[in-house]
Amino acid sequence: MDTIKLTPRQEEIIRLVKENPPITSEALAERLNVTRAALRPDLAILTMTGILEARPKVGYIYSKKPSYSLIYDYIRNIKVADIMSNPVVVDEGTSIYDAIVHLFLNDVGTLFVQNNGYLIGAASRKDFLKIAMGGTDIHKVPVGIIMTRMPNIVYIEKEDSAYLAAQRIIEHEVDSLPVVERAFDGSKEAFTIVGKVSKTNITRLFVKLGENG
Amino acid sequence: MDTIKLTPRQEEIIRLVKENPPITSEALAERLNVTRAALRPDLAILTMTGILEARPKVGYIYSKKPSYSLIYDYIRNIKVADIMSNPVVVDEGTSIYDAIVHLFLNDVGTLFVQNNGYLIGAASRKDFLKIAMGGTDIHKVPVGIIMTRMPNIVYIEKEDSAYLAAQRIIEHEVDSLPVVERAFDGSKEAFTIVGKVSKTNITRLFVKLGENG
């Protein structure tokens, strides 16, 4: 996905650096038959984008892992707090039927379940669909029976990056992460729910990144 | 989301351009008491990122809509074909029960429905959950009864951008778009399904963009 458009001179610089690492800007200028000043913008762009690495007093080397650091930095600097939305939370004793009604009324894909104000579980459309297909009486059975229970819930915190949230969503194959704050329930570590980040939030962010101003 | 780290001199250049538009590089160099050559890397970065606009023979102006064109271009250049995955397709006559089984076996959120090889509908987890809660005999009723039917399906084509796909997903509040190719069913325009793009594909792409090389 190397889509940064480089000029022919920038391509030539990369080729020279690859062939003669490390190479100083003086040597590059001489090879290209231009002044060092004329090269400066190209070198600035190539190092800012992470294609070249500038080693002081040594010269330029080709970055083994071109990080296109502008995009990389841009994406990694967006926080969960900037993109999270309101979580829909029910109590453990809520019937599966009522929980599904909450799911539809709020048009969300995942419900979070709490007890005494602390996060104890999560249930997704997939969990509900599975139970609704079986012979279970969804009016009588509480959501606590079918939910995924702590500590098996993948969560995120407000100050984490949106990138980390997206990574966890993909790695753990979930639709949504609760955004939590650490608390203590007696002497035990516990979590309160302050938000959620779903694939929808990430998709919305992606659209925002591609918007023209 | 202005997260590109600018140097104090770049910030100063932006301030000068904002206060005196349009301003030439000569005038900027004079105000900053440096040579034009020394300014060139800063001006290259500020124009490449879309913060300043260079008008030939006029000078620099502050871009009213900073587009951070690097990120913008990067994102807009990724094609649907680069990120799409395989669609799960069933025939119109498939029972709702069998359709849900397909949904689980393939671990997808949306099924696409075809007739004679052409796309005629789509059904999501949400549609299935709604019907599974009611009194319908899901073994007898076919998926064709509950699906969203063409022409009400939002679709995308392989050569469109991933950005456009994400935009349609958000705008139309769907989880997944079929990737289609135009065909003719007799004299009528019709579509064959060649892939799908979901919020999962967009989230995966976002993770890839943030990866370090």
Side-chain angles (χ1 to χ4, degrees), chain B residues 6-182:
Chain B
L6 299 174
T7 65
R9 186 153 81 186
Q10 287 162 358
E11 301 276 9
E12 181 68 10
I13 291 170
I14 293 172
R15 196 183 59 74
L16 286 171
V17 172
K18 275 184 182 168
E19 286 171 6
N20 316 275
I23 186 168
T24 61
S25 59
E26 287 90 338
L28 279 169
E30 197 179 302
R31 298 277 197 122
L32 292 164
N33 207 17
V34 295
T35 64
R36 280 179 69 195
L39 269 192
R40 231 174 264 145
D42 293 317
L43 289 171
I45 284 161
L46 292 173
T47 51
M48 267 198 78
T49 51
I51 297 170
L52 297 188
E53 205 180 301
R55 302 230 164 133
K57 313 211 175 188
V58 177
Y60 290 89
I61 58 164
Y62 181 69
S63 176
K64 268 147 236 126
K65 288 188 187 175
S67 68
Y68 300 107
S69 55
L70 264 180
I71 287 147
Y72 171 87
D73 283 355
Y74 195 92
I75 282 180
R76 297 261 181 141
N77 276 322
I78 302 161
K79 299 255 177 272
V80 162
D82 301 330
I83 64 158
M84 70 185 194
S85 48
N86 287 329
V88 180
V89 182
V90 296
D91 281 319
E92 193 177 7
T94 311
S95 73
I96 292 172
Y97 182 87
D98 286 347
I100 297 175
V101 170
H102 267 91
L103 202 76
F104 277 111
L105 285 178
N106 293 283
D107 198 22
V108 290
T110 304
L111 287 185
F112 298 105
V113 184
Q114 65 182 4
N115 190 13
N116 280 328
Y118 298 116
L119 174 68
I120 58 161
S124 70
R125 255 181 217 155
K126 203 167 142 184
D127 297 325
F128 288 121
L129 183 55
K130 208 178 282 173
I131 200 79
M133 277 183 79
T136 314
D137 185 347
I138 60 174
H139 289 273
K140 286 195 181 141
V141 178
V143 68
I145 298 292
I146 61 151
M147 71 186 184
T148 300
R149 195 172 276 275
M150 282 296 257
N152 299 318
I153 297 170
V154 192
Y155 57 82
I156 193 96
E157 294 177 71
K158 255 163 53 172
E159 291 309 304
D160 288 328
S161 69
Y163 170 73
L164 182 65
Q167 215 182 19
R168 287 195 182 153
I169 286 172
I170 293 302
E171 194 186 326
H172 297 276
E173 300 184 356
V174 293
D175 282 330
S176 186
L177 301 176
V179 182
V180 302
E181 274 174 11
R182 282 155 201 276

Side-chain angles (χ1 to χ4, degrees), chain A residues 1 3 45 48 67 70-72 74-76 97 100 107 125-126 133 163 199-200 207 209-210 212, chain B residues 1 3 45 48 67 70-72 74-76 97 100 107 126 133 163 175 199-200 207 209-210 212:
Chain A
M1 288 191 308
T3 59
I45 285 161
M48 266 198 78
S67 67
L70 264 180
I71 288 149
Y72 170 87
Y74 195 92
I75 283 180
R76 297 261 182 139
Y97 182 88
I100 297 176
D107 198 21
R125 258 181 215 155
K126 203 167 144 185
M133 277 182 78
Y163 169 74
K199 288 176 190 168
T200 307
V207 171
L209 291 178
N212 191 3
Chain B
M1 288 191 308
T3 59
I45 284 161
M48 267 198 78
S67 68
L70 264 180
I71 287 147
Y72 171 87
Y74 195 92
I75 282 180
R76 297 261 181 141
Y97 182 87
I100 297 175
D107 198 22
K126 203 167 142 184
M133 277 183 79
Y163 170 73
D175 282 330
K199 288 175 190 168
T200 308
V207 171
L209 291 178
N212 193 0

Side-chain angles (χ1 to χ4, degrees), chain A residues 8-89:
Chain A
R9 186 153 83 189
Q10 288 162 358
E11 301 277 9
E12 182 68 11
I13 292 170
I14 293 172
R15 196 184 59 75
L16 286 170
V17 171
K18 274 184 182 170
E19 285 172 6
N20 316 278
I23 185 167
T24 61
S25 59
E26 287 90 339
L28 279 170
E30 198 179 302
R31 297 277 198 124
L32 292 164
N33 206 18
V34 294
T35 63
R36 280 179 68 196
L39 268 193
R40 230 173 265 145
D42 293 318
L43 289 171
I45 285 161
L46 292 172
T47 51
M48 266 198 78
T49 52
I51 297 170
L52 298 187
E53 205 179 299
R55 301 231 166 131
K57 312 209 178 191
V58 176
Y60 290 89
I61 59 163
Y62 181 70
S63 176
K64 268 147 236 127
K65 288 189 187 177
S67 67
Y68 301 104
S69 55
L70 264 180
I71 288 149
Y72 170 87
D73 282 355
Y74 195 92
I75 283 180
R76 297 261 182 139
N77 275 322
I78 301 162
K79 299 255 177 273
V80 163
D82 301 330
I83 64 158
M84 71 184 194
S85 48
N86 287 329
V88 180
V89 182

